[in-house]
């Protein structure tokens, strides 16, 4: 009995270490890795393929294609290239799109990125897109450790569930389902919060635009 418990403990430890190693392999594009020169389309896709290789689920998965980039431009997610060349700011926007598209609709991504594009793309504002990306990258690097610890806790909890099931293969199947369910619910709750924030910010910007137009209209009326 004692030997069996030790084997269970070892499997749990090995499983936790496996989870940690998988999360460590998640790739991020560091701010200093983004080229300082403008790139043609082929160079952009090659760069993304190289730096996001570990995020590919299947070997045949396409991370970023010419068609995708052209569609982003058509849908106003990405400013048009200058003479078929993409700047450093284009690269930052593409990286944001790459991560956001995994959980948000095209419409929501548009709402999130439009203010960035209008206010900071091409060094239009007090901050550059590089400044913004660097700060977000720093926050995400810190958050990755928090997320890793949370996943490990959920993993440990799932391994303690369904412990009354005697058949090992069935018990593992149910424990894996428990972990998937916990992680899915976590993502669902966070997605709800993200969508609420997007709606709140969108309504705020629409209200600001409406008030600005009303003031402009009153100003013209007084001038007459």
């Amino acid at each position: 009995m004692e030997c069996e418990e030790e084997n269970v403990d070892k499997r749990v430890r090995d499983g936790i270490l496996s989870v940690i190693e998988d999360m460590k392999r998640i790739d991020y594009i560091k701010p200093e890795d983004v080229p300082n020169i403008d790139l043609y389309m082929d160079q952009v896709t090659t760069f993304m393929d190289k730096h996001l290789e570990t995020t590919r689920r299947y070997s045949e998965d396409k991370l970023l294609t010419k068609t995708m980039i052209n569609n982003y431009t058509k849908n106003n997610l990405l400013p048009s290239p200058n003479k078929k060349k993409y700047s450093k700011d284009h690269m930052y926007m593409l990286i944001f799109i790459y991560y956001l598209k995994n959980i948000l609709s095209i419409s929501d991504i548009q709402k999130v990125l439009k203010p960035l594009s209008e206010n900071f793309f091409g060094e239009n504002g007090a901050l550059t897109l590089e400044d913004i990306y660097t700060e977000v990258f720093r926050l995400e690097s810190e958050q990755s450790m928090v997320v890793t610890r949370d996943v490990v806790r959920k993993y440990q909890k799932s391994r303690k569930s369904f412990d009354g099931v005697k058949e090992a293969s069935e018990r593992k199947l149910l424990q894996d389902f428990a972990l998937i369910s916990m992680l899915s619910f976590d993502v669902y709750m966070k997605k709800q919060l993200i969508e609420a924030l997007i709606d709140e910010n969108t309504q705020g910007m629409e209200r600001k635009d409406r008030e600005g137009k009303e003031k402009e209209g009153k100003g013209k009326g007084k001038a007459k």
Side-chain angles (χ1 to χ4, degrees), residues 9-156:
D9 288 342
K10 185 178 184 304
R11 285 199 299 274
V12 171
R13 285 198 303 272
D14 290 345
I16 291 171
L17 289 173
S18 176
V19 170
I20 293 172
E21 288 306 312
D22 284 344
M23 296 192 73
K24 280 181 180 177
R25 283 196 289 271
I26 295 175
D27 224 343
Y28 298 97
I29 298 178
K30 299 179 179 65
E32 59 268 24
D33 290 339
V34 180
N36 280 313
I37 58 173
D38 294 349
L39 304 175
Y40 286 108
M41 177 77 82
D42 287 340
Q43 293 172 310
V44 172
T45 55
T46 299
F47 174 85
M48 292 296 188
D49 280 343
K50 177 183 175 183
H51 286 79
L52 294 172
E53 175 63 30
T54 58
T55 66
R56 198 191 305 270
R57 184 178 181 185
Y58 302 114
S59 59
E60 65 273 16
D61 285 351
K62 301 294 183 183
L63 299 178
L64 193 67
T65 65
K66 296 177 184 179
T67 302
M68 289 178 190
I69 294 174
N70 286 329
N71 284 336
Y72 297 154
T73 303
K74 288 177 184 176
N75 286 292
N76 298 316
L77 297 180
L78 183 73
S80 298
N82 182 21
K83 296 179 181 179
K84 297 185 178 181
K85 281 190 171 185
Y86 294 84
S87 67
K88 201 170 186 178
D89 280 0
H90 281 105
M91 300 297 285
Y92 292 131
M93 295 292 283
L94 281 170
I95 297 168
F96 286 142
I97 292 169
Y98 177 78
Y99 286 112
L100 291 172
K101 73 176 183 177
N102 289 291
I103 53 171
L104 297 179
S105 66
I106 292 295
S107 174
D108 278 343
I109 296 174
Q110 194 178 45
K111 293 172 186 175
V112 170
L113 295 183
K114 185 180 177 184
L116 290 183
S117 181
E118 290 180 346
N119 296 302
F120 305 103
F121 191 91
E123 301 183 1
N124 289 328
L127 291 175
T128 65
L129 268 182
E130 182 170 1
D131 295 329
I132 295 168
Y133 183 85
T134 300
E135 177 64 7
V136 170
F137 177 83
R138 183 187 67 79
L139 294 171
E140 288 179 352
S141 296
E142 291 177 359
Q143 186 66 13
S144 65
M145 291 305 299
V146 176
V147 172
T148 301
R149 287 194 292 269
D150 182 58
V151 170
V152 169
R153 282 194 294 269
K154 285 182 171 63
Y155 180 89
Q156 290 173 316

Side-chain angles (χ1 to χ4, degrees), residues 161-207:
S161 65
F162 300 104
D163 56 359
V165 178
K166 294 182 179 179
E167 176 60 42
S169 60
E170 288 183 359
R171 186 168 61 251
K172 183 181 183 304
L173 179 96
L174 292 170
Q175 289 173 342
D176 287 348
F177 179 71
L179 178 58
I180 290 169
S181 297
M182 283 191 289
L183 293 171
S184 297
F185 184 70
D186 189 49
V187 172
Y188 171 76
M189 292 292 289
K190 288 173 181 175
K191 188 171 184 287
Q192 293 289 307
L193 176 58
I194 291 168
E195 290 173 349
L197 286 170
I198 291 171
D199 291 343
E200 181 184 337
N201 288 332
T202 301
Q203 290 167 7
M205 287 187 288
E206 288 175 350
R207 185 165 56 249

